[in-house]
Amino acid sequence: MSSTNLRPTDVLISEVGPRDGLQSVKAVMPTANKLLWIDALVAAGLREIEVGSFVPAKLLPQMADVAEVVRHALTHPGVTVMALVPNLRGAEAALRAGVHKLTLPVSASEAHSLANVRKTRVDMVKEVSAIVQLRDEIAPGVKVETGMSTAFGCTIQGEVSEDDVVWLAKECAGAGADEVGLSDTTGMANPAQVRRLFDKVRAAIGERTGAAHMHNTRGLGLANCLAAWDVGVRTFDASLGGLGGCPYAPGASGNVVTEDLVFMFEAMGLNTGVDLDRLIAAREPLKRGLPGEPIYGMTPEAGLPKGWVPHRVTV
Ligand code: ZN
């Protein structure tokens, strides 16, 4: 999301841990812990949080309490509360719960699409269209984003053609999506590819080009975010402690670590609005809610550099 009250040089970090992170771990975080964790993320200055997904509890017991989590997140003024919805039924539940923004997973790979949402890509675009229509009817202020999974490669299908990504981005924008983000669900992207693909998508759909959602599976998460920044991307998904993955992308693990991403941008002189000390402190409620679960991050381990002053340079 590119909010109008931000300076053009600012970066919006969209925290996806409570959704992408929690859906990929076996343990179920108790609701009370989720609320404390979200409070700590807000206290750190995060202004957009994907708090869960509206999916049947049978499929993802981690998300059974999503409506309650949304209700709580909505008590924080100024925070954009997002939820992932895979279909119209989920979208209706999320809209009725009062979210500010929906994110819909649309796979660039046909094989991943069938595994993840049990629909072809074309059928998923129809679903996007139906969701946009429902949004217009019952909650016209809500933004609809499509997050294009496997845009940079797929563990099932292998290579994903750039023409397919551009085609699907146009289809999603044509179906009414306000923003079309690109996701490296499987951690296969490289910086040259990120620049090329975001450039192509922007040439095709202009300002509807959305967030970069990068995974750190092969250690290139930050490099890929920087590449996306270079070609005009200003919204970045990240997950506290690098929690995350995709249950239908075998071997995919680890979103970009929010702490490291914030450190990179702030050290470059860009204002993320996030306080790093408080962000690192937000790992405590995460650890308490998921005892024994490994969490990652180089910046929290190394600590902040001596004399650290965030975003002191004006770019
Ligand atoms: Zn992800």
Side-chain angles (χ1 to χ4, degrees):
M1 187 188 83
S2 45
S3 208
T4 45
N5 59 357
L6 300 176
R7 294 198 313 264
T9 49
D10 282 349
V11 173
L12 181 69
I13 307 290
S14 184
E15 170 65 40
V16 301
R19 197 280 302 169
D20 202 337
L22 290 186
Q23 78 171 26
S24 63
V25 297
K26 284 207 176 67
V28 176
M29 188 188 275
T31 308
N33 289 86
K34 287 189 189 181
L35 306 189
L36 289 170
W37 181 24
I38 288 169
D39 291 349
L41 294 168
V42 173
L46 288 156
R47 286 159 298 173
E48 183 168 295
I49 304 177
E50 200 172 311
V51 299
S53 49
F54 282 81
V55 289
K58 205 169 50 177
L59 292 180
L60 271 180
Q62 295 95 325
M63 296 296 151
D65 58 0
V66 63
E68 189 180 345
V69 173
V70 165
R71 211 162 32 241
H72 178 80
L74 288 170
T75 63
H76 290 291
V79 174
T80 301
V81 178
M82 285 183 80
L84 181 139
V85 299
N87 52 36
L88 189 61
R89 182 187 294 195
E92 174 155 17
L95 292 169
R96 303 253 181 240
V99 301
H100 301 124
K101 189 168 169 183
L102 301 176
T103 182
L104 286 46
V106 178
S107 299
S109 142
E110 190 81 349
H112 183 265
S113 188
L114 292 169
N116 197 34
V117 291
R118 298 193 207 103
K119 283 190 181 72
T120 64
R121 294 172 298 176
V122 167
D123 283 344
M124 195 57 200
V125 171
K126 286 185 192 146
E127 198 79 10
V128 173
S129 207
I131 289 170
V132 167
Q133 211 167 13
L134 180 72
R135 183 276 314 265
D136 292 346
E137 283 162 24
I138 67 173
V142 171
K143 289 264 179 280
V144 173
E145 167 195 75
T146 55
M148 201 190 298
S149 324
T150 63
F152 301 91
C154 172
T155 39
I156 308 169
Q157 175 182 307
E159 198 185 323
V160 173
S161 96
E162 296 187 355
D163 288 348
D164 277 16
V165 173
V166 173
W167 161 75
L168 193 54
K170 282 194 212 158
E171 289 290 309
C172 290
D178 299 296
E179 296 168 30
V180 179
L182 300 184
S183 301
D184 183 23
T185 318
T186 58
M188 292 162 84
N190 68 72
Q193 182 189 22
V194 168
R195 283 193 198 97
R196 204 165 56 236
L197 211 44
F198 267 104
D199 272 344
K200 284 187 180 181
V201 166
R202 194 177 300 283
I205 63 166
E207 288 311 301
R208 292 196 187 212
T209 308
H213 178 107
M214 297 300 169
H215 278 238
N216 207 31
T217 316
R218 291 176 177 79
L220 295 188
L222 284 184
N224 288 331
C225 285
L226 188 58
W229 159 266
D230 285 343
V231 293
V233 174
R234 294 295 178 264
T235 303
F236 296 86
D237 292 359
S239 173
L240 196 81
L243 213 60
C246 174
Y248 303 106
S253 67
N255 282 288
V256 153
V257 175
T258 310
E259 301 90 309
D260 293 339
L261 187 66
V262 167
F263 176 74
M264 179 181 81
F265 283 129
E266 292 280 332
M268 288 168 66
L270 300 164
N271 180 19
T272 62
V274 178
D275 180 298
L276 258 175
D277 286 311
R278 286 184 182 176
L279 188 64
I280 291 168
R283 291 161 71 93
E284 288 310 313
L286 166 58
K287 285 183 201 159
R288 279 200 298 275
L290 286 179
E293 195 67 41
I295 61 169
Y296 308 95
M298 314 289 270
T299 304
E301 274 173 37
L304 295 176
K306 190 175 178 188
W308 166 255
V309 181
H311 59 84
R312 67 185 137 192
V313 188
T314 307
V315 174

